[in-house]
Amino acid sequence: KAGVTQTPRYLIKTRGQQVTLSCSPISGHRSVSWYQQTPGQGLQFLFEYFSETQRNKGNFPGRFSGRQFSNSRSEMNVSTLELGDSALYLCASSQDTYEQYFGPGTRLTVT
Amino acid sequence: EDQVTQSPEALRLQEGESSSLNCSYTVSGLRGLFWYRQDPGKGPEFLFTLYSAGEEKEKERLKATLTKKESFLHITAPKPEDSATYLCAAHAGNMLTFGGGTRLMVKP
């Protein structure tokens, strides 16, 4: 079975721009979660989608949003980028057990 | 508020020197405790799920155990390739809360 894939792997953006990241889950997995990982804050939960509905949301500002498509693929969007948004963004998929399998991540650098 | 704390933050071992990593949790209604391994620049790799106090799981040189307040990841006779950051996460409600991780370095 193919693992979780994320695109792009690396991204450099300028403050004020917006960015869209993509995640393709493991086949058959209907839940997709997004996390932000930084050296100072560790892994922080952004949101989770299950069958195209946002099931849970972390404590991030409204600039962070996401969606899930009928084939379970998911995207997250960050608008009006700030320097502090520089991080590794991780996507994880699972069946309905919360045993999550992570992708390789997208490294976002905001300059 | 759910909290997960891992200790130590960093651990240096000589090859063959066994040790344990700690994961303390304070959550309402634990539904599962997960352990992951993360190598630099990569996503976390799933290791174990523990569901109830007293449960143990093993994989090669790793053994995870669970009590009502904490989980331990025991590493027996580690090798340099075991060097990584080990993360634990508690499942409560509809989300996982991760600890800060323990960075393990095993020297030959």
Side-chain angles (χ1 to χ4, degrees):
Chain A
K1 241 183 194 179
V4 177
T5 57
Q6 292 187 244
T7 56
R9 293 294 313 280
Y10 303 92
L11 208 47
I12 300 175
K13 289 287 187 177
T14 304
R15 272 181 302 176
Q17 288 186 313
Q18 74 165 19
V19 66
T20 299
L21 312 181
S22 181
C23 171
S24 292
I26 292 171
S27 177
H29 286 189
R30 294 190 293 166
S31 170
V32 173
S33 297
W34 288 90
Y35 295 86
Q36 181 195 67
Q37 188 175 37
T38 59
Q41 299 296 319
L43 258 171
Q44 291 189 288
F45 173 72
L46 280 156
F47 29 66
E48 182 211 1
Y49 287 87
F50 182 85
S51 294
E52 301 179 67
T53 300
Q54 188 180 86
R55 185 156 70 170
N56 208 357
K57 190 177 188 308
N59 295 323
F60 277 81
R63 300 186 296 109
F64 292 82
S65 63
R67 58 178 176 169
Q68 187 180 33
F69 303 96
S70 59
N71 61 358
S72 293
R73 190 176 69 84
S74 178
E75 289 182 346
M76 69 163 279
N77 183 277
V78 188
S79 62
T80 320
L81 284 166
E82 300 177 359
L83 294 179
D85 296 333
S86 294
L88 181 67
Y89 288 89
L90 291 160
C91 160
S93 76
S94 68
Q95 296 178 324
D96 204 14
T97 63
Y98 282 87
E99 194 169 288
Q100 295 186 347
Y101 294 85
F102 284 81
T106 295
R107 172 73 63 187
L108 172 64
T109 302
V110 182
T111 62
Chain B
E1 183 182 328
D2 295 342
Q3 282 196 321
V4 178
T5 304
Q6 291 188 247
S7 61
E9 288 187 11
L11 181 62
R12 292 178 186 239
L13 298 173
Q14 287 295 129
E15 184 172 1
E17 180 186 1
S18 302
S19 188
S20 296
L21 313 183
N22 178 265
C23 171
S24 298
Y25 60 89
T26 306
V27 301
S28 300
L30 181 74
R31 298 170 66 180
L33 191 292
F34 300 85
W35 282 96
Y36 289 86
R37 168 193 170 126
Q38 187 174 25
D39 292 297
K42 296 187 176 182
E45 174 191 345
F46 173 78
L47 292 173
F48 303 109
T49 308
L50 301 166
Y51 291 105
S52 57
E55 188 175 1
E56 298 183 352
K57 288 199 176 167
E58 286 189 66
K59 180 180 179 180
E60 295 179 359
R61 295 176 292 282
L62 301 177
K63 182 168 84 172
T65 61
L66 181 66
T67 73
K68 288 187 178 180
K69 293 183 179 180
E70 56 193 349
S71 178
F72 293 93
L73 185 65
H74 308 278
I75 303 177
T76 302
K79 298 182 178 182
E81 53 261 43
D82 295 322
S83 298
T85 295
Y86 291 84
L87 298 163
C88 70
H91 172 207
N94 283 329
M95 61 185 285
L96 295 187
T97 301
F98 279 83
T102 292
R103 190 171 70 254
L104 174 65
M105 293 154 281
V106 182
K107 294 196 170 185

